[in-house]
Amino acid sequence: MTEPTGLSSEQSAPPGCPAHAGGGAPSGAVRLGGLEYQQTPSQLYRSLRREHGAVAPVLLDGDVPAWLVLGYSEVSYVTGHDELFARDSRRWNQWENIPADWPLMPFVGYQPSVLFTEGAEHQRRAGVITEALEGVDQFELARDSARIADRLIASFAGSGQAELMDAYAHALPMIAAVQMCGMPDASTDTQQLVDDLRISLDAHEGDDPVAAYTRVGERIQRLVKEKREKPGADITSRMLRHPAGLTDEEIVQDLISVIAAAQQPTANWICNTLRLMLTDERFALNVSGGRLSVGEALNEVLWLDTPTQNFIGRWAVRDTQLGGRQIRAGDCLVLGLAAANTDPQIWPESHVGPENSAHLSFSHGEHRCPYPAPLLADVIARTAVETLLERLPDLVLAVEPHELTWRPSIWMRGLASLPVQFTPVAH
Ligand code: HEM
């Protein structure tokens, strides 16, 4: 195989590797990761497609085997057939090879939340979330998001420079999400929860993510108790009121899932869009031309630089076939959402215009990002980008475009930092 730079072919794969488990399976499972991969994953996808077709044998951290599903129709098929490819990770045939401190444990370790439920139980839990999200007034959300944006911008506007990932893109959707769940606007308590969520989802050096996650759980438990006593017009109260009768424990789990699912993808959607607009001359950065361009940039990012570039995953319910591969019961499949969006089988017919939202960035099928979450994410992201460009109209990158680097993650596509400069504004 022609190896993409920064990747290695693993000829002596661990026992049980789907890539080597009989049935004429191919050799040459590819380790996902490496610096080159993080900067230009599209090269890897091209190379994997050439070598393996739509379903490629890969090795995750610690050389744990899995399948990467790269084809648009194969990802649609996997996500559309949960009777064959299901979400409960306890099915995995690799658990005996997984150490307790495996880096991907937060994504695959079973939790009793909506994320890992299946069938009727999933419909019950996801139905409650959908109805609770449907109650969010999108105009109010836009107003709240603009207010949060203004507050964050005010904290750096006077200095003429900022690092937008930390100071803006990550903070904004987190604050918007906890407020939609009923936390009071701008209180110390809300700030503490936002800080703890940030640490548990994205720990920096010196942070204690386990302690932070414990505090998040305690605060959400308290929120549920408070809303039981004094309901309001928020997601938590609507979940409590729902006739499906979820227990407080189930609601706590699902609220944490909603907040976590909202934060990272929306933050990276904002920052990848800002990056596109700041580096590509097709997107004029002025107020008059700005509005239309923001919608186009947001949509283009979902096609070409989607935040949830790979999603783990699904587990095969029984032996089956996919893309000409023999899949064993309990095999893990990683949804290659970014690869599927750029599948040559759907290009050039698919095009990236504002009209076309047939990408798989919100996944597909039973477990897809639940309606109307993508619409709410769009309101938050659009408001974040528009407000920033309106308040700081001469915003430019503070480094050369090629100096921007992507974070070392094969799962979430987002920048390590986004330094900008602008004319200081007094607030
Ligand atoms: C307000 C913002 C958002 C909320 C409240 C939200 C909520 C959720 C929830 C609750 C799930 C779990 C669904 C289930 O297992 O049944 C989910 C899944 C998912 N979301 Fe979102 N989300 C948001 C924004 C986004 C964004 C911006 C993206 C990407 C551009 C995204 C992509 C996904 C993907 C790929 C999944 C996994 C679907 C699967 O397993 O097939 N979400 N989201």
Side-chain angles (χ1 to χ4, degrees), residues 55 64 72 82 96 120 127 130 132 171 211 214 287 290 294 301 309 313 334 344 384 386-387 402 412:
V55 181
V64 174
Y72 185 94
D82 47 331
E96 63 188 33
T130 291
T214 307
V287 179
V294 171
V301 163
Q309 54 183 350
V334 173
E386 285 181 354
T387 310
H402 69 265
M412 200 54 73

Side-chain angles (χ1 to χ4, degrees), residues 183-204:
M183 291 291 291
D185 187 7
S187 70
T188 331
D189 205 18
T190 300
Q191 190 52 49
Q192 180 65 51
L193 176 61
V194 166
D195 290 345
D196 285 335
L197 279 160
R198 201 272 302 150
I199 295 169
S200 26
L201 292 169
D202 185 21
H204 295 179

Side-chain angles (χ1 to χ4, degrees), residues 63-290:
D63 287 350
V64 174
W67 298 103
L68 177 63
V69 188
L70 298 147
Y72 185 94
S73 52
E74 286 76 10
V75 171
S76 305
Y77 184 81
V78 167
T79 48
H81 286 82
D82 47 331
E83 75 288 1
L84 278 179
F85 303 102
R87 264 301 279 153
D88 189 332
S89 59
R90 289 174 298 186
R91 284 198 172 76
W92 203 1
N93 55 24
Q94 290 298 315
W95 278 120
E96 63 188 33
N97 300 322
I98 306 289
D101 61 350
W102 197 52
L104 298 181
M105 200 55 104
F107 303 103
V108 298
Y110 174 82
Q111 298 150 27
S113 78
V114 64
L115 300 175
F116 292 95
T117 53
E118 296 178 355
E121 178 57 7
H122 179 258
Q123 280 163 18
R124 171 174 166 263
R125 303 278 284 267
V128 173
I129 293 176
T130 291
E131 285 184 39
L133 295 181
E134 271 175 336
V136 175
D137 180 324
Q138 293 185 25
F139 292 103
E140 229 168 81
L141 176 61
R143 254 199 322 271
D144 288 346
S145 300
R147 210 174 28 236
I148 299 164
D150 274 332
R151 208 164 50 228
L152 293 170
I153 293 167
S155 70
F156 55 74
S159 70
Q161 56 184 21
E163 195 292 280
L164 290 178
M165 293 298 295
D166 272 351
Y168 195 69
H170 274 284
L172 199 153
M174 182 97 83
I175 302 171
V178 300
Q179 284 185 13
M180 281 193 284
C181 292
M183 291 291 291
D185 187 7
S187 70
T188 331
D189 205 18
T190 300
Q191 190 52 49
Q192 180 65 51
L193 176 61
V194 166
D195 290 345
D196 285 335
L197 279 160
R198 201 272 302 150
I199 295 169
S200 26
L201 292 169
D202 185 21
H204 295 179
E205 212 170 320
D207 286 338
D208 183 348
V210 177
Y213 188 73
T214 307
R215 286 193 298 273
V216 167
E218 288 165 359
R219 185 60 190 96
I220 302 287
Q221 264 168 25
R222 239 179 332 119
L223 176 68
V224 169
K225 194 162 168 286
E226 286 159 11
K227 294 294 171 184
R228 241 198 219 292
E229 283 157 14
K230 200 164 172 253
D234 51 68
I235 291 174
T236 309
S237 304
R238 286 191 288 274
M239 289 176 79
L240 284 162
R241 261 200 312 271
H242 196 282
L246 264 53
T247 64
D248 284 11
E249 219 170 292
E250 288 172 326
I251 293 177
V252 169
Q253 281 284 340
D254 288 354
L255 277 174
I256 295 175
S257 300
V258 165
I259 297 169
Q263 199 275 332
Q264 290 277 321
T266 313
N268 289 305
W269 192 11
I270 293 169
C271 105
N272 294 358
T273 302
L274 285 169
R275 173 193 159 273
L276 176 64
M277 297 190 75
L278 292 170
T279 56
D280 190 319
E281 59 190 22
R282 288 174 302 140
F283 295 93
L285 276 187
N286 57 58
V287 179
S288 54

Side-chain angles (χ1 to χ4, degrees), residues 115 122 261-262 265-266 302 308 311 314 337 361-363 367 369-370 373 377:
L115 300 175
H122 179 258
T266 313
L302 292 182
T308 39
F311 186 83
R314 297 291 190 272
L337 303 176
S361 297
F362 294 108
S363 188
H367 272 272
C369 187

